[in-house]
Amino acid sequence: MSFTVFRFCHHTSLVLLLGASALIASLFSGQAWAQSPKSISTQTQVLVGGGLQVCSSMTPEHCLQPIVGGKTQVLYRLDHQALIRLDRQWPAQYQAHKAAVVKTLTSMVSDQALTQEQLLALWYQHDPQAQLLARPLYYYVLDTLESAEPSLTERIDVDLTKDEATGDLIAFMHSAISVAAGQQAQAPRVLMLSSASRDPYARADYYDQLLTTDGIDGQWLPLTPALAKALSQGRCEMLEEFRRQALTFDRARVYPKQIAQEQALCAQGTEALLAQINAASAVFFNDGDQTLARKALFDEQGKAYPWTEALRSRPVILANGAGTALQSGGRDGKANVTMITGGDAFAALEDEVAVVTQPGQLPSGFAAISHEPRGGLGSFHFGVLDTYFSELNRSVRLSSLLYGTGQPAGYGIDADTALVVIKSEQGSVATVLGKAGVVKIQPTDKHSFRYSYYPNGVRMTLDEQQWRLAASTQAIEVRGPSAQALPQMRFGDILYDSKLRSLTQAMCLSSSAKALAAQYTRGNYRDFTLRRDEHTHMLNTGIRDNACAIEGLIIEFAPRK
């Protein structure tokens, strides 16, 4: 195989802008971008696998130097005023727990501000049973005790971001937004959704700033599950109650600006929301929980809200973590594409693997592999999307989901890495940007699958509705002694510490035809065999970590006999 390795230059926003412009405009120069969602024929998707390490006042560990000013942490106060609020707003369904909880918290009263970690440690020290509280009551207590500091906001500075891959990904997003706006002949604007967060108001200031530049207008869009329900029912006066149903409490006291924005958008109505979305070049979906984010797009019966199609049709779709998983949906040509919603990697090693539609715990204690059969937003219909992939060793989990639901393929995106897809009526192309790579999983039976790995910089093309390494890719020339084949030993703990990715990369670099591995769980071993056949291709595309491209490696696993 001969491949031209497709690379974007790094470090410079101008170069990235030119690269994005060339990729989009030259490939589809005959396509016109328009404001109406019905007429948009080209779309760029930047789908990040999570783990963006942006410099902010709340994450100084991601900064080249400290940011001066800004909110540094969320604080809680357990004073007499907080106890009054707890008593006055206590949820009716948890009255039976009120006396015990309030008694414990009263014994902890102090004027000292606490971090969440400090508050929980103190609370559990006084009452270990508090760890068993129902989640809604737990969130109620925390939200009610949170300190209100509306004048103190989180500050971010992308230019001070320490992580090179994150900086490059943000710069590429800027480029994609600018190119789309140029094609639309309008000012660049991106709407930022935080609906994947349990508390979508808490970091609205962060999202307001994340993609804002001198030339790009970034705006937090208060399209929360509560607002979606209020708009669809014409009940803006019920917003506070809908927030409580979404397990966010007392937010008007803590985040008055964001609540006022949400209330104002509700008062303006659905048509104003649609106009705001249609005027935007791009939309960004945040990390968190894709099942929460889906509630801002579909009602309880699964019917799409009036604004869902407008979001799906933006010229640029940007997503991170759960926001990326949310993009799965639509049809792949044969069946509906599902959306993964949870599950432990080790759940895929159970004797009988259950794939369920509601997240839950198995008798073993592992989280069951779960999915939403109706899919998510559906902007990505080529297969199921998963995130934090190699880092959380999710290959076996995704394979089990795909096999159990009859899906032909899924794509796992590594942390701090993006799958970039450009779709057009004239064809589609894709590439990988960032720190690591993108994995494709194709289940072959209950205990085996084909594993493909596309590293940073390679280009992919569609073949029968599946992404594959572009047919012209070339391996780099490596001088020096040839690498030795892997020893015939079983590498242990293969589902920890990104070891599966490391082993497949080692197979590629050493030209090994076979490798063995194992995983111990619940008193038993599962043995893994990784092997090549005539359909497997491996080539090293660069002198850096995780640079080997792999197509169609067979991975089999079974209980040890």
Side-chain angles (χ1 to χ4, degrees):
M1 296 173 62
S2 119
F3 270 77
T4 305
V5 178
F6 181 80
R7 302 184 187 282
F8 288 104
C9 297
H10 294 277
H11 315 303
T12 304
S13 297
L14 176 59
V15 175
L16 285 165
L17 173 58
L18 294 174
S21 302
L23 180 63
I24 298 168
S26 68
L27 287 173
F28 308 120
S29 57
Q31 299 295 316
W33 296 39
Q35 292 185 357
S36 169
K38 297 291 185 182
S39 62
I40 292 172
S41 54
T42 305
Q43 185 179 75
T44 299
Q45 301 175 352
V46 185
L47 308 174
V48 182
L52 288 176
Q53 300 174 40
V54 178
C55 171
S56 89
S57 57
M58 292 186 68
T59 55
E61 67 274 16
H62 298 329
C63 302
L64 292 170
Q65 63 187 55
I67 290 180
V68 178
K71 186 175 183 178
T72 59
Q73 56 189 338
V74 176
L75 294 175
Y76 299 82
R77 288 189 182 276
L78 187 48
D79 54 21
H80 291 290
Q81 289 300 316
L83 290 176
I84 292 172
R85 291 196 303 272
L86 277 173
D87 179 71
R88 185 174 63 244
Q89 303 170 21
W90 193 272
Q93 66 270 38
Y94 293 107
Q95 284 296 323
H97 301 272
K98 182 177 179 179
V101 173
V102 171
K103 180 180 179 181
T104 300
L105 295 177
T106 301
S107 69
M108 298 162 46
V109 166
S110 168
D111 290 329
Q112 181 182 357
L114 303 171
T115 65
Q116 181 174 313
E117 182 180 3
Q118 291 169 335
L119 172 63
L120 293 178
L122 187 62
W123 188 9
Y124 298 159
Q125 180 183 344
H126 280 73
D127 179 14
Q129 293 299 310
Q131 300 175 69
L132 304 178
L133 285 179
R135 287 291 94 180
L137 186 53
Y138 167 85
Y139 292 136
Y140 168 73
V141 173
L142 285 184
D143 284 357
T144 307
L145 299 183
E146 185 177 346
S147 294
E149 301 174 293
S151 62
L152 190 60
T153 60
E154 181 177 6
R155 293 184 57 194
I156 77 169
D157 192 331
V158 174
D159 292 337
L160 291 180
T161 294
K162 185 187 304 182
D163 184 74
E164 182 181 297
T166 292
D168 287 348
L169 291 172
I170 296 296
F172 185 82
M173 291 182 191
H174 289 156
S175 303
I177 296 166
S178 297
V179 171
Q183 294 281 355
Q184 291 176 290
Q186 67 178 32
R189 179 179 295 114
V190 55
L191 298 178
M192 313 292 289
L193 275 73
S194 59
S195 52
S197 299
R198 198 272 307 179
D199 183 352
Y201 316 97
R203 300 197 75 188
D205 290 315
Y206 170 92
Y207 291 110
D208 258 340
Q209 302 168 69
L210 181 60
L211 294 176
T212 298
T213 68
D214 289 340
I216 297 175
D217 178 18
Q219 299 178 5
W220 175 65
L221 182 68
L223 180 54
T224 64
L227 177 67
K229 187 175 286 190
L231 280 173
S232 65
Q233 298 181 16
R235 299 291 302 277
C236 292
E237 75 280 2
M238 292 287 290
L239 263 174
E240 174 62 23
E241 174 59 26
F242 292 148
R243 290 187 205 109
R244 292 171 69 91
Q245 292 176 13
L247 304 185
T248 54
F249 304 91
D250 201 21
R251 299 297 83 188
R253 176 183 62 86
V254 182
Y255 300 110
K257 182 181 76 172
Q258 288 75 25
I259 294 300
Q261 289 177 278
E262 182 186 52
Q263 194 77 47
L265 185 54
C266 193
Q268 292 165 10
T270 298
E271 291 304 316
L273 173 59
L274 282 168
Q276 193 171 347
I277 294 171
N278 287 333
S281 309
V283 62
F284 177 97
F285 297 87
N286 77 316
D287 199 359
D289 183 341
Q290 53 267 40
T291 58
L292 295 179
R294 194 179 186 278
K295 292 179 180 180
L297 305 175
F298 300 91
D299 66 19
E300 293 173 356
Q301 286 71 47
K303 181 181 177 181
Y305 287 124
W307 50 84
T308 302
E309 176 60 27
L311 290 169
R312 184 189 297 120
S313 303
R314 290 303 82 217
V316 179
I317 298 284
L318 310 170
N320 183 39
T324 290
L326 177 70
Q327 304 310 311
S328 304
R331 292 184 64 85
D332 65 358
K334 299 179 181 178
N336 291 329
V337 176
T338 190
M339 180 184 80
I340 193 165
T341 57
D344 195 298
F346 288 90
L349 301 182
E350 298 279 281
D351 293 332
E352 293 296 329
V353 178
V355 176
V356 298
T357 56
Q358 294 294 328
Q361 294 292 120
L362 298 172
S364 62
F366 298 131
I369 300 171
S370 59
H371 69 115
E372 169 50 70
R374 295 167 295 188
L377 181 62
S379 68
F380 186 93
H381 62 271
F382 306 107
V384 179
L385 288 168
D386 203 354
T387 57
Y388 296 95
F389 200 72
S390 297
E391 295 76 16
L392 295 182
N393 301 285
R394 287 175 162 173
S395 293
V396 179
R397 179 182 88 157
L398 181 55
S399 177
S400 293
L401 172 67
L402 297 172
Y403 181 78
T405 57
Q407 310 275 318
Y411 300 86
I413 306 172
D414 290 345
D416 213 6
T417 305
L419 172 62
V420 178
V421 177
I422 300 176
K423 299 191 300 182
S424 166
E425 293 173 353
Q426 296 179 334
S428 300
V429 294
T431 189
V432 179
L433 297 175
K435 184 171 289 185
V438 173
V439 176
K440 180 177 70 179
I441 299 293
Q442 299 165 280
T444 52
D445 65 32
K446 189 175 182 180
H447 293 117
S448 68
F449 56 92
R450 285 192 180 269
Y451 171 102
S452 302
Y453 187 84
Y454 309 119
N456 168 41
V458 300
R459 181 175 172 180
M460 294 125 73
T461 55
L462 272 179
D463 180 10
E464 297 182 351
Q465 289 301 299
Q466 289 189 22
W467 292 107
R468 304 183 190 279
L469 205 59
S472 55
T473 307
Q474 288 183 346
I476 64 166
E477 180 181 352
V478 179
R479 298 180 180 179
S482 299
Q484 295 183 347
L486 293 173
Q488 289 302 298
M489 58 174 285
R490 286 200 180 274
F491 295 86
D493 290 331
I494 193 63
L495 297 185
Y496 284 101
D497 301 327
S498 308
K499 287 185 179 179
L500 183 59
R501 179 178 65 191
S502 298
L503 184 54
T504 61
Q505 290 290 301
M507 287 184 69
C508 173
L509 293 171
S510 62
S511 300
S512 296
K514 184 177 180 180
L516 304 175
Q519 181 61 57
Y520 180 81
T521 175
R522 297 182 62 237
N524 296 295
Y525 281 95
R526 299 296 192 273
D527 288 335
F528 286 71
T529 300
L530 292 70
R531 61 183 178 87
R532 304 171 61 152
D533 68 1
E534 67 274 15
H535 302 295
T536 305
H537 304 285
M538 298 183 177
L539 60 159
N540 186 7
T541 69
I543 305 175
R544 63 181 187 279
D545 291 340
N546 305 314
C548 266
I550 299 170
E551 190 75 68
L553 178 68
I554 298 172
I555 299 181
E556 302 161 318
F557 58 99
R560 182 173 294 178
K561 296 180 179 179

mmCIF file of all heavy atoms in Angstrom, residues 8-16 164-165 167-168 171:
data_model
loop_
_atom_site.group_PDB
_atom_site.id
_atom_site.type_symbol
_atom_site.label_atom_id
_atom_site.label_comp_id
_atom_site.label_asym_id
_atom_site.label_seq_id
_atom_site.Cartn_x
_atom_site.Cartn_y
_atom_site.Cartn_z
ATOM 1 N N PHE A 8 -1.720 18.257 9.054
ATOM 2 C CA PHE A 8 -1.915 19.686 9.266
ATOM 3 C C PHE A 8 -0.705 20.206 10.022
ATOM 4 O O PHE A 8 -0.223 19.574 10.942
ATOM 5 C CB PHE A 8 -3.176 19.970 10.097
ATOM 6 C CG PHE A 8 -4.433 19.731 9.342
ATOM 7 C CD1 PHE A 8 -5.180 18.593 9.590
ATOM 8 C CD2 PHE A 8 -4.858 20.615 8.385
ATOM 9 C CE1 PHE A 8 -6.341 18.368 8.897
ATOM 10 C CE2 PHE A 8 -6.023 20.402 7.702
ATOM 11 C CZ PHE A 8 -6.761 19.280 7.946
ATOM 12 N N CYS A 9 -0.241 21.364 9.657
ATOM 13 C CA CYS A 9 0.853 21.972 10.396
ATOM 14 C C CYS A 9 0.352 22.395 11.773
ATOM 15 O O CYS A 9 -0.795 22.754 11.940
ATOM 16 C CB CYS A 9 1.398 23.193 9.649
ATOM 17 S SG CYS A 9 2.108 22.770 8.065
ATOM 18 N N HIS A 10 1.257 22.354 12.746
ATOM 19 C CA HIS A 10 0.871 22.642 14.125
ATOM 20 C C HIS A 10 1.380 24.014 14.556
ATOM 21 O O HIS A 10 2.139 24.676 13.879
ATOM 22 C CB HIS A 10 1.442 21.554 15.045
ATOM 23 C CG HIS A 10 0.832 20.211 14.807
ATOM 24 N ND1 HIS A 10 -0.369 19.835 15.366
ATOM 25 C CD2 HIS A 10 1.241 19.164 14.053
ATOM 26 C CE1 HIS A 10 -0.658 18.611 14.981
ATOM 27 N NE2 HIS A 10 0.301 18.186 14.190
ATOM 28 N N HIS A 11 0.955 24.383 15.746
ATOM 29 C CA HIS A 11 1.475 25.516 16.521
ATOM 30 C C HIS A 11 0.959 26.877 16.083
ATOM 31 O O HIS A 11 0.995 27.812 16.860
ATOM 32 C CB HIS A 11 3.006 25.566 16.522
ATOM 33 C CG HIS A 11 3.640 24.239 16.758
ATOM 34 N ND1 HIS A 11 3.368 23.484 17.884
ATOM 35 C CD2 HIS A 11 4.530 23.527 16.027
ATOM 36 C CE1 HIS A 11 4.080 22.370 17.825
ATOM 37 N NE2 HIS A 11 4.774 22.365 16.727
ATOM 38 N N THR A 12 0.531 27.067 14.858
ATOM 39 C CA THR A 12 0.188 28.405 14.395
ATOM 40 C C THR A 12 -1.246 28.441 13.916
ATOM 41 O O THR A 12 -1.631 27.705 13.019
ATOM 42 C CB THR A 12 1.120 28.821 13.235
ATOM 43 O OG1 THR A 12 2.456 28.706 13.680
ATOM 44 C CG2 THR A 12 0.849 30.251 12.832
ATOM 45 N N SER A 13 -2.044 29.316 14.520
ATOM 46 C CA SER A 13 -3.452 29.408 14.148
ATOM 47 C C SER A 13 -3.615 29.788 12.689
ATOM 48 O O SER A 13 -4.515 29.308 12.002
ATOM 49 C CB SER A 13 -4.161 30.429 15.039
ATOM 50 O OG SER A 13 -4.121 30.011 16.382
ATOM 51 N N LEU A 14 -2.731 30.641 12.174
ATOM 52 C CA LEU A 14 -2.826 31.058 10.779
ATOM 53 C C LEU A 14 -2.636 29.865 9.859
ATOM 54 O O LEU A 14 -3.380 29.693 8.888
ATOM 55 C CB LEU A 14 -1.775 32.132 10.481
ATOM 56 C CG LEU A 14 -1.710 32.597 9.021
ATOM 57 C CD1 LEU A 14 -3.050 33.175 8.592
ATOM 58 C CD2 LEU A 14 -0.588 33.615 8.845
ATOM 59 N N VAL A 15 -1.653 29.023 10.148
ATOM 60 C CA VAL A 15 -1.416 27.846 9.315
ATOM 61 C C VAL A 15 -2.599 26.900 9.385
ATOM 62 O O VAL A 15 -3.035 26.327 8.385
ATOM 63 C CB VAL A 15 -0.115 27.135 9.762
ATOM 64 C CG1 VAL A 15 0.074 25.837 8.993
ATOM 65 C CG2 VAL A 15 1.079 28.041 9.545
ATOM 66 N N LEU A 16 -3.150 26.724 10.606
ATOM 67 C CA LEU A 16 -4.318 25.870 10.738
ATOM 68 C C LEU A 16 -5.507 26.428 9.961
ATOM 69 O O LEU A 16 -6.262 25.686 9.353
ATOM 70 C CB LEU A 16 -4.673 25.718 12.220
ATOM 71 C CG LEU A 16 -3.753 24.781 13.010
ATOM 72 C CD1 LEU A 16 -3.968 24.984 14.504
ATOM 73 C CD2 LEU A 16 -3.976 23.345 12.630
ATOM 74 N N GLU A 164 -0.043 21.008 24.071
ATOM 75 C CA GLU A 164 0.070 21.370 22.647
ATOM 76 C C GLU A 164 -1.109 20.861 21.837
ATOM 77 O O GLU A 164 -1.648 21.567 20.976
ATOM 78 C CB GLU A 164 1.374 20.807 22.095
ATOM 79 C CG GLU A 164 1.642 21.145 20.647
ATOM 80 C CD GLU A 164 2.949 20.539 20.162
ATOM 81 O OE1 GLU A 164 4.017 20.911 20.692
ATOM 82 O OE2 GLU A 164 2.904 19.673 19.269
ATOM 83 N N ALA A 165 -1.531 19.607 22.099
ATOM 84 C CA ALA A 165 -2.629 19.038 21.322
ATOM 85 C C ALA A 165 -3.923 19.821 21.532
ATOM 86 O O ALA A 165 -4.655 20.100 20.581
ATOM 87 C CB ALA A 165 -2.828 17.570 21.694
ATOM 88 N N GLY A 167 -4.201 22.976 22.380
ATOM 89 C CA GLY A 167 -4.051 24.243 21.673
ATOM 90 C C GLY A 167 -4.305 24.100 20.185
ATOM 91 O O GLY A 167 -4.962 24.949 19.564
ATOM 92 N N ASP A 168 -3.788 23.024 19.583
ATOM 93 C CA ASP A 168 -3.997 22.799 18.155
ATOM 94 C C ASP A 168 -5.472 22.535 17.831
ATOM 95 O O ASP A 168 -5.998 23.000 16.818
ATOM 96 C CB ASP A 168 -3.145 21.623 17.677
ATOM 97 C CG ASP A 168 -1.666 21.968 17.588
ATOM 98 O OD1 ASP A 168 -1.335 23.161 17.670
ATOM 99 O OD2 ASP A 168 -0.851 21.048 17.438
ATOM 100 N N ALA A 171 -7.383 25.765 18.022
ATOM 101 C CA ALA A 171 -7.048 26.585 16.854
ATOM 102 C C ALA A 171 -7.743 26.068 15.596
ATOM 103 O O ALA A 171 -8.216 26.849 14.761
ATOM 104 C CB ALA A 171 -5.534 26.613 16.652
#
